[in-house]
C-alpha cells in the first residue's frame, strides 16, 4: 500500500463548482497533515494544515478522519486560479523529531469558464 | 513574507560532474530539508538537517550526496558524480523550531539537467 494515496484526476469543473479531494495514508502513527498546492513546474505551496476537528480557510475546508486514515479537501465556489495539482502531505513522525514530509502524487484540478 | 531562496534556478551539467545546489532558508528556521521531484512524479524526501548534522536521510541519499551549512545562512546539496537519473527538480525547505505540525516552506527549486 502506498504511504499516501490520492486519486490523480484530473477533475474538470466549471467556475463556481464545489469539488472534493480525498486522500488516504498508511501509517496510523502519523501526526501532522497538510494540503499543499503545486502549479506546473513550481514549488509546493502550503494551502492549509489539517486538524482533527476539521478546519476552514475561506473557500477551503479540510477534514481528517484518524480512524479511517483519511483526509479530505473541499473547495467551494471554484475559481480559474484554483487550477493546480493538490498534494496531500503527511508527517509520519510523532511530535518533535525532524519531520520529513511524505507526499501523495497529487490530484489535478482544472477549472474552466 | 520571508522566503526560502534557491540558486541557480536551472543547472545543466555533464554526467559524472559534481554539482552544488544552494539554498538560503528563512532566517529564524532551524530545520532544513532537501526534496526532489523527477518530472511527472511525486515529491520525494532526500534529507533533513538540524543542529549542523543530518537527522534523517532516505534511500535515495547515497554516498554521492552530501549536505552542508557552511555559514549561518546557506544550506547546500552536493552531488559528487552526477548520473542521468539525477535529473530532477530539487527543492529546499525549512521549518521553524517547534512541534511537528509546523509546516515546511519550500524554495522555488533548482531544475537539474544531466546530459
Amino acid at each position: 500500500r502506498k504511504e499516501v494515496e490520492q486519486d490523480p484526476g484530473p477533475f474538470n469543473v466549471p467556475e463556481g463548482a464545489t469539488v472534493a479531494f480525498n486522500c488516504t495514508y498508511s501509517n496510523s502513527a502519523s501526526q501532522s497533515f497538510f494540503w499543499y498546492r503545486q502549479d506546473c513546474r513550481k514549488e509546493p505551496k502550503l494551502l492549509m494544515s489539517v486538524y482533527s476537528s476539521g478546519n476552514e480557510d475561506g473557500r477551503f475546508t479540510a477534514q481528517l478522519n484518524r480512524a479511517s486514515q483519511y483526509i479530505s479537501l473541499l473547495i467551494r465556489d471554484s475559481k480559474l486560479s484554483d487550477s493546480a495539482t493538490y498534494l496531500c502531505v503527511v508527517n509520519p513522525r510523532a511530535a518533535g523529531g525532524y519531520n520529513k514530509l511524505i507526499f501523495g502524487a497529487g490530484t489535478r484540478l482544472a477549472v474552466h469558464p | 513574507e520571508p522566503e526560502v531562496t534557491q540558486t541557480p534556478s536551472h543547472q545543466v551539467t555533464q554526467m559524472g560532474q559534481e554539482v552544488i545546489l544552494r539554498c538560503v532558508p528563512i532566517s529564524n528556521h532551524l530545520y532544513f530539508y532537501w526534496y526532489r521531484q523527477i518530472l511527472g512524479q511525486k515529491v520525494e524526501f532526500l534529507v533533513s538537517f538540524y543542529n549542523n548534522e543530518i537527522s534523517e536521510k532516505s534511500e535515495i541519499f547515497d554516498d554521492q550526496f552530501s549536505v552542508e551549512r557552511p555559514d549561518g545562512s546557506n544550506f547546500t546539496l552536493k552531488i559528487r558524480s552526477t548520473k542521468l537519473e539525477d535529473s530532477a527538480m530539487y527543492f529546499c525547505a525549512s521549518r521553524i523550531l517547534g512541534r511537528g505540525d509546523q509546516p515546511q516552506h519550500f524554495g522555488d527549486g533548482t531544475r537539474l539537467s544531466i546530459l
Side-chain angles (χ1 to χ4, degrees):
Chain A
R1 184 179 170 186
K2 290 181 186 174
E3 289 183 278
V4 179
E5 200 146 5
Q6 297 182 251
D7 180 344
F11 285 61
N12 293 299
V13 303
E15 275 185 289
T18 295
V19 62
F21 305 138
N22 303 318
C23 166
T24 56
Y25 59 96
S26 61
N27 184 347
S28 60
S30 298
Q31 293 293 321
S32 307
F33 310 90
F34 309 92
W35 284 101
Y36 280 73
R37 72 170 273 168
Q38 186 175 31
D39 294 290
C40 189
R41 300 198 169 207
K42 300 284 190 182
E43 76 276 20
K45 287 190 177 172
L46 178 69
L47 182 64
M48 59 197 303
S49 301
V50 186
Y51 302 115
S52 295
S53 53
N55 48 300
E56 191 173 300
D57 183 0
R59 297 181 294 109
F60 300 86
T61 301
Q63 298 277 355
L64 168 64
N65 184 322
R66 286 187 184 272
S68 304
Q69 294 174 214
Y70 171 95
I71 306 161
S72 65
L73 176 68
L74 184 78
I75 306 176
R76 287 182 299 279
D77 189 22
S78 299
K79 313 286 185 200
L80 295 175
S81 56
D82 294 335
S83 297
T85 297
Y86 289 82
L87 307 176
C88 179
V89 183
V90 174
N91 172 0
R93 193 68 61 91
Y98 311 109
N99 307 300
K100 68 182 180 187
L101 296 179
I102 305 297
F103 284 77
T107 299
R108 274 207 301 132
L109 172 66
V111 182
H112 57 82
Chain B
E1 188 179 324
E3 295 182 331
V4 176
T5 57
Q6 291 186 242
T7 55
S9 55
H10 191 189
Q11 174 82 44
V12 182
T13 302
Q14 291 287 333
M15 188 171 62
Q17 297 296 304
E18 175 183 286
V19 66
I20 296 176
L21 310 183
R22 301 180 195 281
C23 170
V24 178
I26 295 172
S27 62
N28 63 338
H29 286 191
L30 295 178
Y31 295 98
F32 313 116
Y33 307 83
W34 284 100
Y35 293 82
R36 79 168 187 193
Q37 186 174 30
I38 294 170
L39 188 63
Q41 297 187 22
K42 65 180 183 177
V43 177
E44 299 174 289
F45 168 77
L46 291 178
V47 65
S48 58
F49 191 87
Y50 171 70
N51 201 24
N52 283 320
E53 60 183 21
I54 290 173
S55 45
E56 187 172 0
K57 57 185 180 180
S58 72
E59 291 172 359
I60 303 167
F61 194 90
D62 62 22
D63 56 9
Q64 293 300 308
F65 290 83
S66 61
V67 289
E68 199 177 35
R69 189 156 161 82
D71 53 43
S73 59
N74 290 287
F75 178 51
T76 62
L77 174 70
K78 179 160 63 173
I79 309 175
R80 251 179 287 282
S81 177
T82 49
K83 306 183 191 69
L84 294 175
E85 54 264 37
D86 293 328
S87 295
M89 196 76 169
Y90 287 80
F91 294 109
C92 173
S94 68
R95 182 173 74 83
I96 202 164
L97 182 68
R99 302 180 316 189
D101 58 359
Q102 294 294 323
Q104 295 178 21
H105 297 269
F106 285 75
D108 57 4
T110 293
R111 181 169 303 284
L112 179 62
S113 300
I114 307 300
L115 305 178

